[in-house]
Amino acid sequence: MSDIKTIFITGTAGFIGFHLARELLDHGFRVVGYDGMTDYYDVTLKQKRQQMLLQSEHFSCVNGMLEDFDLLSKTITDAAPDAIVHLAAQAGVRYSLENPRAYVESNLVGTFNVMEMARELQVGHLLMASTSSVYGANTEMPFSEDQKTETPLTLYAATKKANEGMGHSYAHLWKIPTTMFRFFTVYGPWGRPDLALYKFVKAGLAGDTIDVYNHGQMARDFTFIDDLVKGIRLLIDAVPVEGEPVSEADTLSPVAPYRVVNIGNGEKVNLFDFIDEIEVSLGFEIKKNFMEIQKGDVPGTWASSELLEQLTGYRPNTPTAEGIRRFVDWYRGYHG
């Protein structure tokens, strides 16, 4: 482990931020969190996550919006972090069709504010979340980080693509070591209620029907939350150094201490197989309503995790069946 001790994380009441904070606390880091507690989904779930984190003496947090630069600035300055992990964002591919302004304000203005603080404090490593959605209309799989990402299909994907460009420019101008990671369909306990697994299990247990888009002809690289946050933790120490690529596959910029890394399970799972595993965990079949593909959706995702493994020696490996079982166990316990 490097000498990094204090990590500032945006979005610690969120699904991924909560799990990352727990992972870092378990490994001896001090964590300072920042979260807007927005009502995009049930705030009670966010509050319970935050309460769990607050049981640790090495965790503290401030509730505030990324757009509130004065509060964000004070919080980060007081934290004096060794690294910043920027996860907070307006998430959700489909919601970006309904409320596009939220994505501009949070994902563009909010990310700019975080980068400004990284510049001002000359932070040792800035890590920021991107998404597999930036691969857009690409069809060549598995998706590797060196593929072009010029065809985003939603505003959500476009804002994340913009974040990558913003991050590169700041890394070049101000020599801020920056890592962007592209997440692939993250799932697991304490997940977001708008995610497919949560909705399918909720509907199944209630005896309701689930909507299966594109008549089930979909595939995703499902990444279990524990694998994802372990990957992020290990990447904190994989600080990009300009002019020092780790391999020919490294995405290290030729003009900046900046790279992009996929974090995915490295396996393409058919939607029907995913639903089958949910039914096995529940012990019964779920009623299904087959529908056309939704606007902005892509039929498939699949990550190459080679660069992650080269940088960290780690590759996500939780089988989908195990991850689903662990989610169902959590769901039944949480909802009684």
Side-chain angles (χ1 to χ4, degrees):
M1 184 182 293
S2 76
D3 58 356
I4 292 176
K5 295 296 180 187
T6 300
I7 312 298
F8 181 85
I9 304 176
T10 66
T12 42
F15 171 38
I16 295 171
F18 161 70
H19 280 278
L20 177 62
R22 285 211 304 190
E23 170 81 6
L24 293 177
L25 291 167
D26 286 347
H27 283 82
F29 290 88
R30 172 176 168 253
V31 175
V32 179
Y34 190 89
D35 201 289
M37 305 297 276
T38 59
D39 61 359
Y40 168 61
Y41 62 85
D42 183 14
V43 178
T44 304
L45 188 60
K46 299 182 180 184
Q47 292 167 338
K48 289 186 176 179
R49 295 184 189 126
Q50 191 173 82
Q51 287 163 7
M52 291 175 66
L53 292 174
L54 286 167
Q55 301 305 305
S56 169
E57 62 178 332
H58 299 296
F59 177 80
S60 61
C61 62
V62 170
N63 292 345
M65 300 296 286
L66 293 172
E67 300 93 304
D68 184 347
F69 183 70
D70 290 343
L71 180 60
L72 180 69
S73 171
K74 181 181 187 308
T75 307
I76 298 181
T77 301
D78 290 349
D82 298 285
I84 295 173
V85 183
H86 175 42
L87 300 173
Q90 178 56 62
V93 171
R94 288 164 188 155
Y95 185 62
S96 66
L97 303 177
E98 303 169 26
N99 188 9
R101 186 172 301 276
Y103 291 77
V104 172
E105 291 170 349
S106 177
N107 299 2
L108 297 182
V109 177
T111 298
F112 167 72
N113 287 342
V114 171
M115 293 193 315
E116 273 290 277
M117 289 311 303
R119 175 185 67 81
E120 190 172 309
L121 297 177
Q122 280 298 295
V123 72
H125 194 182
L126 173 63
L127 303 98
M128 301 198 290
S130 185
T131 171
S132 61
S133 296
V134 300
Y135 290 107
N138 288 11
T139 56
E140 185 181 336
M141 292 191 225
F143 294 144
S144 60
E145 297 91 342
D146 59 359
Q147 288 183 19
K148 288 186 176 181
T149 52
E150 309 305 323
T151 53
L153 299 181
T154 63
L155 183 64
Y156 167 67
T159 62
K160 288 298 191 176
K161 169 66 175 172
N163 288 167
E164 292 185 4
M166 292 160 64
H168 182 271
S169 68
Y170 264 54
H172 168 68
L173 291 169
W174 311 113
K175 302 307 175 189
I176 304 165
T178 302
T179 299
M180 302 288 311
F181 23 66
R182 294 173 178 163
F183 298 156
F184 282 73
T185 315
V186 188
Y187 73 103
W190 295 97
R192 297 202 325 256
D194 64 314
L195 297 176
L197 177 57
Y198 202 115
K199 292 197 291 189
F200 289 173
V201 171
K202 180 181 179 180
L205 288 170
D208 295 334
T209 302
I210 62 171
D211 292 331
V212 180
Y213 291 103
N214 204 31
H215 302 276
Q217 299 307 305
M218 308 273 279
R220 290 289 183 269
D221 193 334
F222 292 98
T223 310
F224 190 61
I225 184 63
D226 290 7
D227 290 343
L228 180 88
V229 297
K230 181 176 180 180
I232 297 174
R233 173 174 61 81
L234 295 171
L235 282 171
I236 289 173
D237 285 337
V239 182
V241 180
E242 188 175 341
E244 296 185 17
V246 298
S247 70
E248 289 186 3
D250 198 347
T251 56
L252 186 70
S253 166
V255 293
Y258 170 97
R259 67 164 57 95
V260 177
V261 185
N262 285 340
I263 307 183
N265 208 50
E267 181 182 0
K268 188 168 67 169
V269 177
N270 185 279
L271 180 57
F272 280 124
D273 294 334
F274 189 71
I275 295 171
D276 284 347
E277 292 294 354
I278 296 172
E279 292 173 334
V280 168
S281 288
L282 292 176
F284 56 82
E285 190 172 340
I286 305 172
K287 292 180 288 187
K288 303 168 188 70
N289 176 38
F290 294 99
M291 302 178 68
E292 297 299 319
I293 193 168
Q294 278 210 314
K295 184 181 292 188
D297 253 355
V298 295
T301 64
W302 179 14
S304 164
S305 295
E306 287 183 24
L307 179 56
L308 175 67
E309 188 171 22
Q310 289 171 359
L311 291 168
T312 65
Y314 175 71
R315 183 187 286 258
N317 54 25
T318 301
T320 309
E322 179 187 336
I324 289 172
R325 178 183 56 75
R326 288 170 63 180
F327 174 83
V328 170
D329 288 347
W330 168 80
Y331 185 96
R332 284 183 153 139
Y334 180 77
H335 290 284

